Amino acid sequence: MTDQTNSVISRHQTIQVQVGSISIGGTAPIRVQSMTNTNTSDITATVQQIIELVAAGSELVRITVNTEAAAQAVPHIRDALLQRNIKVPLIGDFHFNGHRLLSAYPNCAKALDKYRINPGNVGSATTRDKQFATLIEMACRYDKAIRIGVNWGSLDQGLLAHLMDVNKNSQQPKPLKIVMQEAILTSALESAKQAELLGLNRNKIILSCKLSTVQDLIVVYRDLAVRCNYALHLGLTEAGMGSKGIVASTAALAILLQDGIGDTLRVSLTPEPGGSRAQEVLVAQEILQSMGLRDFMPQVTACPGCGRTTSSAFQTLAQQVQDYIQTAMPIWRHQYPGVESMRVAVMGCIVNGPGESKHADIGISLPGTGERPAAPVYIDGHKVKTLKGENIGQEFKNILQKYVSTRYS
């Protein structure tokens, strides 16, 4: 039998990059990143959203820096976070005018931990090299990391046209899709090489090549991993809303992570109207945890239900336990190190219920069809008691809390 654990954790070896207090690449854990969607010049709103993203577990947060007002706000955002003892690395997202903003507002340049630049919109053919050089100079001056982030929606058109001409004149022209993929890779790799020639150390560079189709993303990142050892940021760009965005991101990122590719990731979901921006953080965590790459929160195993589970008792219990864990985690995370790896089972009938409950650290199994509330509880593989009556949910939560405080204290 193949050792699945070893195959999953065998990662593409990349250079380690320090971004604020967070290490990326090398032997560091795969990091979860998110991005605000507030107007950065609105300091209060931006700080509040960063707090929400960090509370959800985001380890790096990217903010848009697109105007003078946004650049002026960045140091105040940093100060407001530090006053709350929040030291999350902040990434400035620059397009078109980043060279001017970083030069004109040194306090912004200093307050950020990383700059994200897109080679496709640094400047035109006549200004690109100079403006790119300015961005690299700022990173060198203030000892900041840079993510060179290529996106196929804003690809360097000059480079694409050149590669298309070369392809057209070749003896065996390749399909347009292949040429575009090569243009994305070339843009990232040549920009990184240029940054090094301008004095930026390799351990300050992170690359990304984002596309919005699953198969194209997989092809490009597999090629990128072969051709370099820079730290790599993963993400399916413009993934979409709801289940479509979640499924597409999971399909693409899971395959690359299984290949050992990726040092940071972001799930680029379009929020539902009025929905929380933190959903993208939770999905990223669930991808990593479901693959056994990291632990963020105790996992609740629960059956889907069938004709043997005619009442909603186990569904209600599963929801109560899930909600209880999510509410308790901000406290548990600090008081009980290791609780993130705990496995809990809430099962609905006797077919798989006892077995799943025994396999979990702590589990409960209801009897199923026509059930009278009576449920055996298993701890570390052993049945410890049977709960009966109308208050099973609260009793099981009490047992769960006692188990956590005893095992992880």
Side-chain angles (χ1 to χ4, degrees):
M1 182 178 292
T2 301
D3 187 338
Q4 292 294 327
T5 302
N6 287 341
S7 66
V8 167
I9 63 175
S10 178
R11 287 172 58 190
H12 171 61
Q13 293 302 302
T14 58
I15 298 169
Q16 188 161 298
V17 180
Q18 194 69 27
V19 181
S21 59
I22 296 292
S23 296
I24 294 172
T27 59
I30 300 169
R31 302 296 187 179
V32 173
Q33 181 175 310
S34 60
M35 185 176 183
T36 60
N37 61 358
T38 57
N39 185 333
T40 305
S41 62
D42 185 339
I43 296 171
T44 300
T46 303
V47 168
Q48 182 57 42
Q49 192 170 82
I50 292 172
I51 291 171
E52 292 171 3
L53 292 169
V54 171
S58 184
E59 295 166 293
L60 303 101
V61 178
R62 181 157 50 114
I63 59 177
T64 298
V65 187
N66 59 336
T67 64
E68 292 188 1
Q72 291 171 332
V74 170
H76 300 292
I77 292 169
R78 168 62 73 197
D79 289 343
L81 292 171
L82 289 176
Q83 288 173 7
R84 295 166 172 81
N85 198 34
I86 297 174
K87 301 176 182 179
V88 63
L90 292 181
I91 304 162
D93 193 58
F94 294 98
H95 296 276
F96 308 109
N97 60 355
H99 59 291
R100 292 203 307 270
L101 294 176
L102 286 172
S103 299
Y105 297 96
N107 287 337
C108 169
K110 295 174 186 176
L112 294 168
D113 296 289
K114 185 173 77 171
Y115 311 149
R116 188 269 178 154
I117 59 176
N118 184 340
N121 56 36
V122 169
S124 64
T126 57
T127 62
R128 181 188 183 283
D129 288 349
K130 181 179 179 181
Q131 293 175 185
F132 183 83
T134 299
L135 289 163
I136 301 304
E137 178 189 345
M138 293 296 104
C140 293
R141 179 181 301 176
Y142 299 113
D143 193 29
K144 304 297 182 180
I146 276 190
R147 172 159 71 93
I148 296 173
V150 181
N151 190 305
W152 78 338
S154 51
L155 186 58
D156 184 337
Q157 294 303 300
L159 173 61
L160 178 60
H162 169 70
L163 292 179
M164 290 178 67
D165 287 342
V166 171
N167 182 64
K168 182 177 65 175
N169 295 324
S170 67
Q171 293 183 344
Q172 294 182 316
K174 300 174 182 177
L176 176 60
K177 178 185 287 190
I178 302 300
V179 179
M180 178 175 285
Q181 291 172 354
E182 182 58 32
I184 292 168
L185 288 161
T186 300
S187 179
L189 293 169
E190 288 191 352
S191 296
K193 181 179 179 181
Q194 186 180 0
E196 286 194 63
L197 291 174
L198 290 167
L200 190 65
N201 197 298
R202 290 176 67 83
N203 66 6
K204 293 293 183 182
I205 298 174
I206 298 171
L207 296 187
S208 67
C209 293
K210 291 192 175 184
L211 302 91
S212 59
T213 58
V214 171
Q215 294 295 343
D216 288 328
L217 189 83
I218 293 167
V219 168
V220 166
Y221 268 95
R222 282 176 169 169
D223 201 348
L224 183 62
V226 169
R227 293 163 66 170
C228 76
N229 64 348
Y230 295 110
L232 301 180
H233 170 77
L234 299 184
L236 184 76
T237 190
E238 287 90 43
M241 297 181 73
S243 60
K244 184 270 179 185
I246 294 172
V247 171
S249 293
T250 303
L253 300 185
I255 290 172
L256 292 171
L257 291 167
Q258 182 72 25
D259 285 347
I261 298 169
D263 300 296
T264 70
L265 75 158
R266 179 191 173 209
V267 176
S268 300
L269 297 179
T270 304
E272 301 288 345
S276 171
R277 190 70 165 178
Q279 185 187 21
E280 66 179 47
V281 178
L282 301 179
V283 173
Q285 291 177 332
E286 287 171 0
I287 291 172
L288 291 173
Q289 186 151 350
S290 66
M291 297 188 69
L293 293 169
R294 290 190 66 183
D295 289 317
F296 296 95
M297 181 175 292
Q299 295 292 287
V300 177
T301 299
C303 63
C306 66
R308 297 184 183 90
T309 54
T310 52
S311 84
S312 62
F314 89 94
Q315 297 168 328
T316 300
L317 181 58
Q319 185 65 59
Q320 288 176 347
V321 172
Q322 185 72 58
D323 291 346
Y324 179 73
I325 290 173
Q326 290 179 345
T327 301
M329 270 307 291
I331 298 173
W332 285 0
R333 187 177 289 114
H334 297 290
Q335 290 187 353
Y336 306 115
V339 71
E340 296 88 353
S341 63
M342 181 175 66
R343 299 293 181 264
V344 181
V346 179
M347 302 299 293
C349 81
I350 61 173
V351 175
N352 295 316
E356 286 283 2
S357 297
K358 290 177 184 178
H359 293 321
D361 295 308
I362 179 170
I364 185 170
S365 177
L366 275 70
T369 302
E371 59 198 321
R372 294 180 179 178
V377 175
Y378 298 84
I379 292 179
D380 295 330
H382 303 285
K383 181 180 175 181
V384 295
K385 67 186 308 181
T386 298
L387 302 181
K388 299 180 181 180
E390 302 299 325
N391 203 29
I392 286 178
Q394 185 58 53
E395 290 183 52
F396 184 67
K397 287 187 286 185
N398 293 341
I399 294 171
L400 179 60
Q401 175 63 56
K402 183 178 179 180
Y403 178 79
V404 169
S405 61
T406 301
R407 176 171 177 178
Y408 298 100
S409 61

